[in-house]
Amino acid sequence: MLQLKDIQWTTETGEKILNGINLTVPDGKLTVITGPNGGGKTSLAKIIAGLYKPCGGQILIDDKEITDLSITERSKNGMAYAFQQPVRFKGLTVRNLLEISAERTLSKNEICEMLGEVGLCGREYMDREVDASLSGGESKRIEIATVLARKDAKLLVFDEPEAGIDLWSFTSLIDAFEKIKQDSTRSLLIISHQERIMNIADHIAVVADGRVTKTGTRDEVFPSLIDKTSATRCSLRNN
């Protein structure tokens, strides 16, 4: 279980981004963090991953504090993180990357299955380098596959996984998330605006102005978000 207690973060220029985030991500569930742009969602994701260090508060996994741990140390404690903008690795193949994540040698069939979950043909991609020759969408899907390959990870964190992915691949991704949900030993935390992702969530937390403004089950939170979206669209059309 991931617990965020009074998380605060201020930029180097003094801008207050997070103003006391309190949130629990339960075991074996899919939790979605959503909210307006600029509300602090991505900053919070980077703090969870260890890319940013909070100015105050605590982060705990299974009651163990990880607030000051590095990305590597958090990984050893069962966390896997997919960046919003994937990192390129010149000289490293897709096969290499998946095997590093899985921490073992993978068969061609296993690689095909992992890449197939994110809408890529394994035989076409396994020997390609993870460099600038890949499109943004291809790179994003490969990184998501590396996170899914981390079978030892208890908490999988995805920052806007839908970004740069075509509709067909996104459908495959939804299927992969639903498959992970069936494993009660793993938790999913997804930062997303996408209605289809929120629709399969167990819990939804809305972050705005650096705070959690609403949290609850999908049935408690999702309908109100859809109503607001519909009202905004109607207003834009009328204007």
Side-chain angles (χ1 to χ4, degrees):
M1 180 170 65
L2 174 71
Q3 293 176 286
L4 307 176
K5 297 185 176 182
D6 195 30
I7 297 297
Q8 301 178 44
W9 186 68
T10 302
T11 67
E12 293 181 354
T13 60
E15 182 183 2
K16 188 83 169 181
I17 303 297
L18 301 178
N19 300 296
I21 295 285
N22 290 286
L23 181 66
T24 297
V25 178
D27 292 335
K29 302 294 182 181
L30 194 169
T31 301
V32 172
I33 296 177
T34 192
N37 291 330
K41 302 183 304 300
T42 292
S43 297
L44 181 60
K46 290 180 177 178
I47 283 174
I48 292 170
L51 297 170
Y52 293 167
K53 185 175 179 179
C55 301
Q58 293 178 300
I59 306 172
L60 300 95
I61 288 185
D62 295 335
D63 295 323
K64 177 181 179 180
E65 185 167 1
I66 63 166
T67 312
D68 295 323
L69 297 187
S70 67
I71 298 173
T72 301
E73 291 169 325
R74 292 181 195 213
S75 177
K76 291 178 180 178
N77 278 273
M79 182 186 296
Y81 179 78
F83 294 87
Q84 190 178 108
Q85 297 296 327
V87 180
R88 311 283 181 145
F89 299 93
K90 186 174 176 59
L92 202 66
T93 66
V94 173
R95 177 196 289 272
N96 296 151
L97 203 57
L98 289 173
E99 290 183 336
I100 289 170
S101 296
E103 297 185 328
R104 64 184 178 88
T105 301
L106 299 172
S107 68
K108 288 185 177 180
N109 286 340
E110 287 177 311
I111 293 172
C112 286
E113 182 179 348
M114 289 175 182
L115 292 176
E117 287 184 333
V118 294
L120 294 176
C121 175
R123 298 189 184 279
E124 291 181 10
Y125 283 89
M126 67 175 70
D127 294 320
R128 288 188 62 177
E129 287 193 11
V130 188
D131 58 16
S133 67
L134 294 169
S135 70
E138 289 171 329
S139 182
K140 184 68 176 283
R141 281 177 276 176
I142 289 166
E143 183 182 40
I144 292 170
T146 65
V147 172
L148 299 179
R150 283 278 313 278
K151 301 302 183 184
D152 63 321
K154 296 178 292 183
L155 174 64
L156 310 181
V157 183
F158 296 88
D159 188 4
E160 297 194 19
E162 69 271 18
I165 294 182
D166 59 78
L167 180 61
W168 184 81
S169 299
F170 180 65
T171 299
S172 298
L173 186 61
I174 292 290
D175 291 341
F177 287 153
E178 291 188 310
K179 182 178 179 181
I180 294 171
K181 278 185 62 178
Q182 298 172 13
D183 184 352
S184 61
T185 65
R186 310 181 91 186
S187 304
L188 278 167
L189 177 60
I190 305 175
I191 288 81
S192 178
H193 294 287
Q194 234 292 333
E195 290 181 11
R196 286 182 64 189
I197 292 179
M198 287 188 278
N199 194 42
I200 64 170
D202 296 300
H203 300 277
I204 297 175
V206 180
V207 173
D209 298 323
R211 296 181 182 277
V212 176
T213 58
K214 191 169 187 177
T215 185
T217 66
R218 175 192 59 209
D219 292 340
E220 292 170 337
V221 179
F222 187 55
S224 64
L225 296 177
I226 295 302
D227 289 344
K228 286 182 180 179
T229 300
S230 299
T232 300
R233 288 172 180 166
C234 288
S235 177
L236 289 173
R237 283 198 296 267
N238 292 335
N239 291 333

